[in-house]
């Protein structure tokens, strides 16, 4: 039975071994404006899931900025008093706590304007990544820009040495989520660096810095896992004796695809997954319900996704991968995730004794660190020490 944790206190639990649950799967990132007609809407929804890029939306307006405090349009995100960033076309700022709010606006402290000029009238969006830049500029960590030879071409990566004197020959490979930058890893990077392991923060096909796939589409981890495997090969050729994999969202799906296809023969030491997409069909269905999309449109989108990727519905569900796990695995899930369906992740954890599940509420997608940085870092630090 799953207990309900309080909003600010993650719970941690070891699940008993049970049979894996069966299920279907879906995708994230749907738009509100849909064309009419089942076929056209299905085509549009499938494109929202698979297409790379797209027009950036700037829904939040700066009303005022004075003495280190910014007043913004009130949204569910801007009203949440957790670390966030505010990003506009020519700039980036880190937001501190909420100072005050009314029906239409929110006033927050500004921790730092890292790029550009914050002035009234600027329009932008909020992001959970918080930090922008590279490991040195954002987190004070030395790093080397390296190139991983990939299946489609060279893949840029950050190689961050450990900050402890006792470095070992285990490497961490960190894999960002769908459409996210490498900077997604910056929140966790100081904790990873203090573990004594080198960390390779990778890119994969269709990232702005990386080679495109022939169809210029995301493959939901079904081809991206080859680039994760290339990163592992790079680490091995550079002296790694074992590897720890860490992935956010679709980066987690790429890792699960890798584990479905790879016999690691003892090279894999552990896995860390932050709000992974365990079931794409369930995720697409959840997003469609939130937007009141008629079920026939969703069904059509799912069929188009399967056709374009050349996969079956069962291939989009990674719960069976839990049965292949033979290394310690740390997984975050947030019960209020509105981007990726959380219940398949819980079922994934229930079906493997190797999984330690950290559950939160009110964090949202891949925002466990934002909800409580100290708790997140403690869980991660203790897990890495235990390996």
């Amino acid at each position: 039975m799953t207990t309900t944790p309080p909003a600010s206190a993650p719970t941690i639990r070891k699940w008993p071994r049970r049979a894996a649950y069966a299920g279907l799967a879906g995708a994230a990132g749907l738009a509100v404006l849909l064309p009419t007609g089942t076929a056209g809407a299905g085509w549009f929804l499938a494109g929202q899931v698979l297409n790379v890029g797209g027009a950036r939306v700037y829904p939040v307006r700066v009303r005022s900025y004075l003495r280190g405090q910014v007043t913004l349009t009130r949204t569910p995100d801007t009203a949440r008093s957790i670390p966030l960033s505010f990003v506009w076309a020519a700039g980036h700022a880190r937001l501190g706590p909420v100072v005050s709010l009314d029906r239409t606006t929110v006033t927050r402290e500004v921790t730092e304007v890292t790029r550009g000029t914050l002035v009234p009238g600027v329009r932008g969006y909020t992001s959970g990544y918080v930090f922008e830049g590279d490991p040195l500029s954002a987190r004070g960590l030395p790093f080397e820009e390296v190139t991983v030879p990939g299946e489609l071409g060279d893949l840029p990566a950050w190689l961050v040495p450990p900050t402890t004197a006792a470095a070992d020959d285990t490497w961490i490979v960190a894999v960002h989520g769908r459409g996210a930058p490498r900077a997604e890893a910056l929140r966790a990077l100081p904790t990873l660096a203090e573990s004594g392991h080198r960390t390779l923060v990778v890119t994969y096909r269709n990232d702005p810095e990386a080679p495109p796939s022939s169809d210029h589409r995301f493959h939901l981890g079904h081809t991206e896992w080859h680039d994760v495997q290339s990163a592992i090969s790079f680490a091995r050729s550079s002296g790694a004796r074992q590897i720890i994999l860490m992935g956010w969202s679709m980066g987690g799906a790429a890792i699960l695809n890798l584990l479905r296809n790879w016999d690691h023969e003892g090279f894999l030491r552990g896995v860390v997954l932050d709000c992974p997409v365990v079931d794409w069909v369930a995720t697409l269905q959840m997003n469609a319900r939130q937007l009141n999309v008629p079920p026939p449109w969703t069904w059509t989108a799912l069929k188009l996704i399967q056709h374009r990727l050349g996969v079956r519905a069962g291939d989009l569900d990674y719960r069976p991968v839990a049965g292949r796990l033979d290394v310690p695995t740390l997984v975050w899930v947030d019960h209020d995730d509105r981007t990726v369906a959380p219940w398949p992740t819980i079922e994934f954890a229930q079906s493997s004794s190797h999984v330690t599940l950290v559950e939160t509420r009110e964090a949202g997608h891949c925002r466990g660190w934002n909800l409580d940085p100290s708790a997140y870092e403690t869980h991660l630090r203790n897990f890495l020490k235990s390996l």
Side-chain angles (χ1 to χ4, degrees):
M1 180 178 69
T2 300
T3 58
T4 302
S8 59
T11 58
I12 190 166
R13 128 182 345 141
K14 293 289 286 185
W15 289 100
R17 179 173 294 280
R18 300 179 188 171
Y21 286 71
L24 298 175
L30 305 180
V32 176
L33 298 176
L34 300 174
T36 58
T38 301
W43 187 272
F44 180 82
L45 291 175
Q48 290 295 104
V49 174
L50 301 179
N51 290 351
V52 174
R56 171 61 70 180
V57 177
Y58 297 96
V60 177
R61 185 167 68 88
V62 175
R63 305 297 182 90
S64 68
Y65 178 52
L66 185 65
R67 293 188 292 273
Q69 295 185 352
V70 64
T71 299
L72 302 168
T73 308
R74 179 170 179 168
T75 68
D77 223 26
T78 59
R80 302 191 62 213
S81 194
I82 61 174
L84 295 172
S85 59
F86 179 66
V87 186
W88 61 102
H92 174 276
R94 289 194 288 126
L95 300 179
V98 170
V99 177
S100 63
L101 68 170
D102 58 28
R103 189 173 60 85
T104 59
T105 66
V106 176
T107 299
R108 301 184 60 135
E109 293 182 5
V110 176
T111 304
E112 180 184 16
V113 178
T114 53
R115 177 171 57 87
T117 304
L118 195 56
V119 294
V122 162
R123 300 192 70 91
Y125 62 91
T126 49
S127 167
Y129 306 148
V130 181
F131 301 99
E132 184 183 72
D134 57 43
L136 183 61
S137 65
R139 304 295 266 156
L141 296 170
F143 75 102
E144 181 183 356
E145 187 82 42
V146 298
T147 300
V148 173
E151 187 177 68
L152 302 182
D154 290 342
L155 302 165
W158 294 327
L159 180 57
V160 182
T163 53
T164 58
D168 63 14
D169 53 11
T170 296
W171 285 38
I172 299 169
V173 173
V175 189
H176 67 77
R178 176 189 181 278
R182 275 184 281 178
E184 183 166 33
L186 290 172
R187 289 169 294 177
L189 205 48
T191 307
L192 301 180
E194 74 177 42
S195 69
H197 311 312
R198 291 174 178 82
T199 301
L200 187 67
V201 184
V202 302
T203 56
Y204 50 77
R205 61 195 66 194
N206 293 313
D207 280 347
E209 313 145 282
S213 59
S214 59
D215 60 3
H216 296 268
R217 288 184 178 134
F218 292 119
H219 282 222
L220 311 184
H222 280 267
T223 56
E224 292 85 356
W225 73 267
H226 292 286
D227 297 331
V228 180
Q229 192 168 49
S230 294
I232 293 171
S233 297
F234 176 89
R236 189 194 294 264
S237 66
S238 301
R241 297 292 183 89
Q242 282 190 307
I243 209 81
I244 298 166
L245 297 173
M246 182 170 186
W248 291 260
S249 193
M250 194 180 86
I255 288 172
L256 292 173
N257 266 292
L258 172 70
L259 298 181
R260 179 186 273 166
N261 292 280
W262 180 43
D263 181 3
H264 65 84
E265 298 179 324
F267 194 66
L268 181 65
R269 185 169 173 179
V271 176
V272 181
L273 303 173
D274 190 334
C275 294
V277 189
V278 170
D279 185 342
W280 282 103
V281 176
T283 294
L284 177 59
Q285 291 171 336
M286 181 189 75
N287 277 265
R289 284 194 299 271
Q290 289 170 178
L291 295 172
N292 296 315
V293 175
W297 296 8
T298 308
W299 182 89
T300 302
L302 285 169
K303 291 300 180 183
L304 285 168
I305 289 168
Q306 293 171 53
H307 175 73
R308 290 179 184 179
L309 299 185
V311 301
R312 299 168 297 125
D315 296 328
L316 298 169
D317 181 2
Y318 308 127
R319 276 170 280 202
V321 176
R324 294 177 57 88
L325 283 177
D326 58 358
V327 297
T329 301
L330 178 65
V331 179
W332 270 272
V333 67
D334 188 78
H335 288 262
D336 298 306
D337 193 331
R338 294 295 178 262
T339 301
V340 167
W343 59 91
T345 302
I346 295 169
E347 293 170 359
F348 176 89
Q350 289 174 331
S351 61
S352 175
S353 61
H354 293 285
V355 175
T356 299
L357 184 67
V358 182
E359 301 175 71
T360 59
R361 288 194 180 278
E362 299 184 7
H365 186 55
C366 291
R367 291 184 175 186
W369 183 93
N370 307 67
L371 180 70
D372 191 335
S374 177
Y376 187 99
E377 290 163 4
T378 297
H379 287 312
L380 182 57
R381 182 181 299 113
N382 290 342
F383 176 76
L384 294 173
K385 285 182 178 178
S386 72
L387 297 178

